[in-house]
Amino acid sequence: MATVPAVKRRKPSLSDSPNNEAPLLTLVRTPDNFFSRAAGWNLEQDYEQRPRKQKKKEKENTRLPIKTAEGRIQQLHVSHPKSEDEDSWLGSEDEGKGEQVPDTVKEGAKVPIRQQILEAKEELARIASLINEDPEEHAGGFRTLGQIAASSNPTTKKLALATQLAVYKDAIPGYRIRPIAEQEQTEKVSKDVRRLRAFEQTLISSYQGYIKDLAKCAKPTRDLQSEATASVTNVAISCACALLQVAPHFNFRGELLKILIAKLSSRKVDANFIKCREAIEILFRSDEDGASSLDAVSLITRMMKARHYQVDESVLNTFLHLRLLKEFLSKASQNRVDKPAKDDGLGGKKPKFKKEFWTKKQRKIMKERKEVEKEFKEADAIVSHEQRDRMQSETLKLVFVNYFRILKARTPNLMGAVLEGLVKYAHLINQDFFGDLLEALKELISDAEALMNDEEEEDQDQDSKDMPPKSDRDSTREALLCITTAFALLEGQDAAHSVTTLNLDLTFFISYLYKSLHDLSLNPDLELSGRSRRLPDPPALSTTSTSTAAPKVNLQTTTVLLLRALTSILTPRAVPPVRLAAFTKQLFTSSLQLPEKSTLAMLTLLNNVTKIHGHKVASLWNTEERKGDGVFEATRVDLEGSNPFASTIWEGELLKLHYAHGVREGVKGIEKAVGVIK
């Protein structure tokens, strides 16, 4: 027979007694005492103090119901495990537990890189949104963005640099922030002014740190850059270019220019080089007050001088985009600027005005108005005419310093760019400098002629030895630029006064162009420039060079340069008849060899010449009115002694049979101008 276990009794504790009396062990034996003392027990409080087991709160089911094959609609219930990660698709299941790492994670555990990038994106977006909502209220976000940009992760760093660019483009004001003086710091100001000053100082300090970070990332290293480092460099240079275009008026413009010009100092032309060069060109074209252009030209001048002008020619061609030089009316050289005298018709005396009577109150009001207007003028950053003229003159002086130094140094790869710049800004050069400049141009033409002779000898050697060419200079284009520059010096000025007072002799340039016409007409690249390309000749396919080298001056074709030089020589009113006849005969002969477009342009020029000087060259179309005796010597260098009036324009009859309708009509127009066709 099984024994029945004894009933366990509850053992009361000391706290069960109301007055901290002795335990009730002795009272349990008697039922009367047990029930009499049970009323004093605090059973509810004891139950309340016991630990509870709470049920786990289930997550809401977010799945849609499905329709089974039997046609029933069934709701799916998915259990959510304890360790499930909401963003597990970003990495492996073992890595990372959400956005924040809990405190229970073991030491040494790392957040996945992909998760770090995602968190950085969210943080950058949040901070940028706050700053855009109210920049003054969330000015501390600028420093936070700078701290995120100090990350060692290249992707995070690029995101932070790009985010800072977008934020600063919106937050930068339209004025330059000046430092607060000590006296202004002690003055009592309103709450709004104090808040604005605090925001400006926070903005300027954070912006300075951002510029330093860009300069550090854009600085090239001696070691071979990895792909990640190169991508950060590309982003840094892009941000610097964008900031310079958006806010050239703001503080630390010089630091941004240093980043771009440091890249332009490299001889390697890559995507970043082109990006920086285009940013400088846009700055030159859009500059209104001249301060940004002056800073950029000064830094470029220092850089080229430090590198002994061993830079790419496109850096020097950026000067051709200067906007202010087109609006400048003074004459300058490398060391001074001559400003035009103001002719007011009073002989330099100030005009006398009748003095009006003002009361003391009116004078006080006028004085207050002038002070207010002065403050508005400073606030709006309006540059006065005198200050703008000063900046223009300094910029022009630095440009000519670069041009004349390169002419003196004879840097081969920059000569074409210098000559193109002198052609464009010849009307701004001081007349006292014409003599020295013309002598330099004569020497350049002599050097170009010697180089062409060397090239002919090299061509003969290449035909025999099948060797690639050694020089890539285009001596023909440089010679044409020298001639165009020489005549452009007199355009826009008092040419007659310049020739008589300075004794300028341009016969050398005219004779050189005359003897070069036949060679130019046989040039296969006559209508090509640096922006156009042609396929290599069949013999060149076997050599190492598979494409033609771009000309050193890539702005105009050889035909355009030739037409500009001929226009300067033949269109003035006071041209000797012998010179007109010699050039007319040579140009008709050269037109037989020129391409169609060049032939049309040449006939258009001859049509203009015959309209101006038709009576001087009309005898070339009529054998009965021949003025000269003997034979015309086409290959003679001295054009006055070539006896041009002993010849006739028989080339016109061949040009009438040209396949192009425009060429045939052009010849008829010339004959109509000289009176052959009535």
Side-chain angles (χ1 to χ4, degrees), residues 83 133-134 168 263 277 336 381 407 417 459 504 534 563 647:
S83 60
E133 290 176 2
D134 192 352
Y168 284 120
K263 184 61 182 176
R277 185 193 65 201
R336 67 190 180 94
L407 281 177
D459 291 339
L504 300 179
R534 64 175 176 84
L563 291 173
S647 64

Side-chain angles (χ1 to χ4, degrees), residues 136-137 187-200:
E136 296 184 4
E137 182 69 23
E187 293 179 354
K188 291 184 178 180
V189 294
S190 63
K191 184 178 179 181
D192 295 336
V193 174
R194 194 183 310 112
R195 181 183 180 186
L196 179 60
R197 286 182 177 179
F199 166 71
E200 290 179 346

Side-chain angles (χ1 to χ4, degrees), residues 423-438:
V423 168
K424 184 170 185 178
Y425 301 128
H427 62 286
L428 300 176
I429 301 177
N430 196 331
Q431 291 184 359
D432 298 338
F433 199 70
F434 282 2
D436 297 336
L437 186 56
L438 289 178

Side-chain angles (χ1 to χ4, degrees), residues 601-612:
M602 197 64 67
L603 292 178
T604 303
L605 173 64
L606 288 172
N607 195 359
N608 295 333
V609 172
T610 52
K611 287 180 180 179
I612 300 173

Side-chain angles (χ1 to χ4, degrees), residues 48-72:
E48 181 68 22
Q49 292 178 355
R50 291 181 184 179
R52 296 179 177 85
K53 294 183 180 180
Q54 298 179 355
K55 295 183 180 180
K56 183 179 179 181
K57 190 175 182 180
E58 296 182 357
K59 293 186 178 180
E60 183 181 358
N61 186 15
T62 58
R63 291 201 174 188
L64 296 174
I66 63 172
K67 192 172 184 180
T68 61
E70 293 81 7
R72 298 179 181 178

Side-chain angles (χ1 to χ4, degrees), residues 115-141:
Q115 182 68 19
Q116 293 179 10
I117 296 173
L118 180 63
E119 293 176 359
K121 284 182 179 180
E122 296 176 352
E123 184 68 14
L124 290 171
R126 184 184 66 83
I127 297 173
S129 301
L130 292 176
I131 295 176
N132 288 334
E133 290 176 2
D134 192 352
E136 296 184 4
E137 182 69 23
H138 304 92

Side-chain angles (χ1 to χ4, degrees), residues 236-275:
I237 292 177
S238 300
C239 292
C241 295
L243 274 180
L244 186 63
Q245 296 176 17
V246 173
H249 64 279
F250 198 57
N251 302 59
F252 308 109
R253 177 180 58 212
E255 282 69 15
L256 285 175
L257 287 171
K258 288 179 181 178
I259 297 174
L260 273 63
I261 294 173
K263 184 61 182 176
L264 294 179
S265 63
S266 174
R267 294 296 299 272
K268 181 181 178 182
V269 180
D270 52 4
N272 290 332
F273 182 94
I274 297 174
K275 200 181 299 179

Side-chain angles (χ1 to χ4, degrees), residues 21-314:
E21 296 178 353
L24 301 177
L25 296 177
T26 56
L27 301 176
V28 176
R29 296 179 183 178
T30 58
D32 297 336
N33 293 336
F34 176 78
F35 290 108
S36 62
R37 303 287 294 182
W41 296 349
N42 194 358
L43 299 178
E44 295 180 357
Q45 184 66 24
D46 183 60
Y47 179 79
E48 181 68 22
Q49 292 178 355
R50 291 181 184 179
R52 296 179 177 85
K53 294 183 180 180
Q54 298 179 355
K55 295 183 180 180
K56 183 179 179 181
K57 190 175 182 180
E58 296 182 357
K59 293 186 178 180
E60 183 181 358
N61 186 15
T62 58
R63 291 201 174 188
L64 296 174
I66 63 172
K67 192 172 184 180
T68 61
E70 293 81 7
R72 298 179 181 178
I73 297 177
Q74 183 178 357
Q75 182 73 34
L76 294 180
H77 297 277
V78 182
S79 60
H80 298 272
K82 182 178 181 180
S83 60
E84 184 179 1
D85 186 9
E86 296 178 355
D87 298 328
S88 58
W89 58 273
L90 292 173
S92 60
E93 297 180 357
D94 299 334
E95 296 175 336
K97 303 294 181 181
E99 293 184 356
Q100 298 181 354
V101 180
D103 298 335
T104 57
V105 177
K106 297 181 180 179
E107 295 182 3
K110 297 182 179 179
V111 180
I113 296 178
R114 194 172 182 182
Q115 182 68 19
Q116 293 179 10
I117 296 173
L118 180 63
E119 293 176 359
K121 284 182 179 180
E122 296 176 352
E123 184 68 14
L124 290 171
R126 184 184 66 83
I127 297 173
S129 301
L130 292 176
I131 295 176
N132 288 334
E133 290 176 2
D134 192 352
E136 296 184 4
E137 182 69 23
H138 304 92
F142 294 115
R143 294 194 181 94
T144 307
L145 292 176
Q147 294 173 359
I148 298 176
S151 173
S152 58
N153 188 355
T155 305
T156 304
K157 193 172 188 66
K158 290 188 292 184
L159 291 172
L161 293 177
T163 304
Q164 286 178 288
L165 170 65
V167 168
Y168 284 120
K169 285 170 66 175
D170 296 335
I172 287 176
Y175 55 89
R176 190 180 183 91
I177 298 177
R178 61 177 181 83
I180 302 176
E182 296 181 358
Q183 183 179 0
E184 294 178 350
Q185 294 178 357
T186 57
E187 293 179 354
K188 291 184 178 180
V189 294
S190 63
K191 184 178 179 181
D192 295 336
V193 174
R194 194 183 310 112
R195 181 183 180 186
L196 179 60
R197 286 182 177 179
F199 166 71
E200 290 179 346
Q201 297 306 314
T202 304
L203 174 64
I204 201 68
S205 60
S206 304
Y207 185 71
Q208 183 180 14
Y210 177 55
I211 298 300
K212 291 181 179 179
D213 196 11
L214 289 179
K216 183 180 179 181
C217 296
K219 187 176 181 181
T221 57
R222 295 182 179 180
D223 301 334
L224 295 176
Q225 291 186 349
S226 62
E227 184 178 354
T229 307
S231 62
V232 174
T233 302
N234 297 339
V235 172
I237 292 177
S238 300
C239 292
C241 295
L243 274 180
L244 186 63
Q245 296 176 17
V246 173
H249 64 279
F250 198 57
N251 302 59
F252 308 109
R253 177 180 58 212
E255 282 69 15
L256 285 175
L257 287 171
K258 288 179 181 178
I259 297 174
L260 273 63
I261 294 173
K263 184 61 182 176
L264 294 179
S265 63
S266 174
R267 294 296 299 272
K268 181 181 178 182
V269 180
D270 52 4
N272 290 332
F273 182 94
I274 297 174
K275 200 181 299 179
C276 296
R277 185 193 65 201
E278 292 177 351
I280 295 292
E281 293 175 356
I282 293 174
L283 177 67
F284 286 161
R285 288 195 296 265
S286 60
D287 187 18
E288 296 182 356
D289 57 2
S292 303
S293 299
L294 180 59
D295 293 344
V297 172
S298 302
L299 291 175
I300 292 176
T301 302
R302 294 178 190 174
M303 181 269 293
M304 290 194 297
K305 184 179 179 181
R307 293 188 58 82
H308 304 287
Y309 299 97
Q310 299 299 321
V311 296
D312 189 78
E313 69 158 357
S314 60

